Amino acid sequence: MSRLKGALALAGARWAWNRYRRRCEPPPSAARQNTELLAWGAAGAALGVGASALSERRRTRRMRGKVALVTGGSRGLGLQLAREFGASGASVVICARGREDLDRAVAELTGRGVDAHGVICDIGDPKAVDALLDEAVERFGRLDVVVNSAGIMRVGPQETIADEDFVQAMNIMFWGPFHLSRAAVERMRGTGGTVVNVTSIGAYLSVPHMLSYSVAKRAWAALSEGLAAETGGTGVRVLTVVPGLMRTGSHKGVLFSGDPEREYAWFALAAGLPLLSVSAERAARGIVHAAASGRGFLILTPVTRIGMAVHGVAPGFTQRAMRVAGRLLPKAPEMAMERHGSEAADSRIGRLIDTVGVLNERAGSRLNQPSRGEKGRPRDTGPEDAAEDFELAGSRVPEDEGGPAPESRS
């Protein structure tokens, strides 16, 4: 703060001196004015380049010597967070459920010069969580940051979402962060560290056709804020991150139910709108900076902040607005179906939406997301088997975080 005050004082003194000198001197000629303008322009450009270089240098040193563990790190926001922690100087441990994607992500991180290690882990299993933390410490000798960013997303009318889908969402997006956060807090107690929980605008504003996701995210947000309140004096900080829409290409891994093609259309369109969504790269930089600077709460986009503010001030109005939105979304057909986004994108409307949402498509290719045509064993379901097990291969995908729509998966 003292350096900032000194810089402001010097800048003020220089401004005052220039004002005094100009009053005492005769008006400069046009040639002299042009020369001074060019000189000031060159000085400003040099200052900007220097500030940018200094900022990049500080960025690369921000997490030097630290070790960060990122769940859901094989794709989406989790992968981009691992890249950003590595670019900031940290060693990185990523975990995911699938070996192929995990190996691909570790190889990509290593190719960027990041000291990375991958662990297959189901964070819904407390014993697996303990083994994950043990392996991270054994590999790098310490653990400074734990990031909960894994998640799943199912989109469709609540009639097409079975009880088992709610259980699965809670296992991955509440019980998983619950086990990992509490275990990490105990290990970091006294030595210091940060637990980062990537929740969602859906935790504070429940969006139609994303009920299981919003329920699990709300529980996760309450856990994160509660832990932050109870870890004072322990040396451990808990950062709650609230993303909104993010361009991560996660819409291709989402499971759509009811009328999959139409559900995919509105979801993918919202996820890729440039004025409403933020890139995964920008989101990851903000999260890493917040974790390094000791912040406790981070809202990623202005739209998310506005949504939370409106809901806080006028919850009744927000509820009515969500009811109107729910009436505009596709209705559940008599014969409900389910498909992954990578399959729903093969329809005529899906290809049209992907053309409009080209930024999200490009993000998906950068973030190891499924591409069009990749299948996850979808099946047709009727009302009579709505309670059957919907846990399909590939239905669990790391969250890219997001909000009312993909965080862009938060």
Side-chain angles (χ1 to χ4, degrees):
M1 182 60 72
S2 59
R3 292 183 179 178
L4 177 60
K5 290 180 178 179
L8 290 174
L10 287 175
R14 181 177 178 82
W15 176 82
W17 169 251
N18 286 335
R19 292 274 297 179
Y20 173 77
R21 188 181 63 181
R22 288 170 183 167
R23 287 183 178 180
C24 297
E25 293 179 353
S29 64
R32 182 180 173 184
Q33 285 182 325
N34 290 336
T35 302
E36 288 185 353
L37 182 61
L38 289 173
W40 278 108
L47 181 62
V49 171
S52 177
L54 180 60
S55 175
E56 183 65 22
R57 185 178 179 184
R58 287 180 176 175
R59 172 174 172 259
T60 58
R61 293 182 176 181
R62 189 181 297 152
M63 300 294 295
R64 179 166 294 179
K66 306 288 187 179
V67 177
L69 166 64
V70 182
T71 67
S74 65
R75 62 174 71 173
L77 180 64
L79 175 57
Q80 188 57 41
L81 281 168
R83 292 170 180 169
E84 188 64 28
F85 275 110
S88 297
S91 299
V92 178
V93 177
I94 61 173
C95 75
R97 294 171 58 88
R99 168 58 67 186
E100 184 178 351
D101 284 344
L102 188 65
D103 289 344
R104 186 185 303 122
V106 170
E108 194 258 8
L109 290 168
T110 302
R112 291 171 175 256
V114 179
D115 192 359
H117 178 62
V119 181
I120 292 181
C121 179
D122 177 2
I123 61 171
D125 180 356
K127 293 182 179 179
V129 165
D130 286 334
L132 171 65
L133 293 172
D134 288 339
E135 186 166 345
V137 174
E138 181 179 350
R139 177 63 182 261
F140 293 111
R142 59 186 294 169
L143 186 60
D144 302 282
V145 181
V146 172
V147 183
N148 281 300
S149 67
I152 61 168
M153 189 178 291
R154 174 186 282 268
V155 176
Q158 61 88 17
E159 307 96 294
T160 67
I161 301 178
D163 292 354
E164 289 83 357
D165 299 317
F166 284 89
V167 172
Q168 183 191 37
M170 289 294 292
N171 282 339
I172 296 175
M173 293 184 289
F174 174 71
W175 289 112
F178 172 85
H179 295 310
L180 185 54
S181 296
R182 289 189 50 164
V185 166
E186 288 305 311
R187 288 173 183 251
M188 295 175 176
R189 191 181 298 273
T191 61
T194 302
V195 176
V196 181
N197 289 308
V198 183
T199 64
S200 169
I201 180 60
Y204 301 91
L205 183 62
S206 191
V207 178
H209 288 212
M210 298 177 64
L211 189 55
S212 59
Y213 177 83
S214 293
V215 167
K217 285 288 188 176
R218 182 165 295 189
W220 185 353
L223 168 70
S224 185
E225 293 184 39
L227 281 176
E230 295 201 30
T231 51
T234 65
V236 180
R237 291 183 177 274
V238 178
L239 168 62
T240 303
V241 180
V242 186
L245 298 172
M246 286 192 294
R247 297 189 296 274
T248 62
S250 62
H251 57 298
K252 292 296 177 64
V254 172
L255 193 61
F256 295 92
S257 59
D259 188 340
E261 284 72 24
R262 293 180 64 198
E263 295 287 350
Y264 175 85
W266 76 262
F267 186 87
L269 181 62
L273 292 176
L275 296 179
L276 295 179
S277 60
V278 64
S279 69
E281 290 80 4
R282 182 179 173 186
R285 284 195 297 270
I287 293 170
V288 172
H289 176 73
S293 58
R295 293 184 61 179
F297 204 92
L298 175 65
I299 302 174
L300 282 179
T301 66
V303 174
T304 303
R305 187 178 297 276
I306 292 170
M308 292 178 66
V310 172
H311 182 262
V313 173
F317 169 80
T318 307
Q319 185 70 79
R320 288 192 294 273
M322 290 297 101
R323 285 175 64 86
V324 171
R327 295 183 66 177
L328 297 176
L329 294 179
K331 306 303 179 186
E334 290 186 6
M335 290 296 295
M337 304 175 68
E338 60 181 26
R339 291 194 177 95
H340 283 82
S342 56
E343 298 168 89
D346 271 335
S347 66
R348 181 180 302 176
I349 188 173
R351 288 190 288 269
L352 175 61
I353 292 297
D354 288 349
T355 301
V356 176
V358 63
L359 293 178
N360 214 13
E361 293 301 300
R362 292 173 181 173
S365 64
R366 296 195 306 270
L367 297 172
N368 200 21
Q369 298 285 14
S371 59
R372 179 184 284 122
E374 291 186 19
K375 300 189 182 295
R377 291 195 310 159
R379 62 181 175 82
D380 294 349
T381 60
E384 66 279 2
D385 46 25
E388 288 186 14
D389 186 6
F390 285 140
E391 188 166 323
L392 307 176
S395 63
R396 298 173 187 251
V397 296
E399 171 122 346
D400 311 334
E401 226 5 311
E407 280 172 315
S408 44
R409 171 179 298 344
S410 301

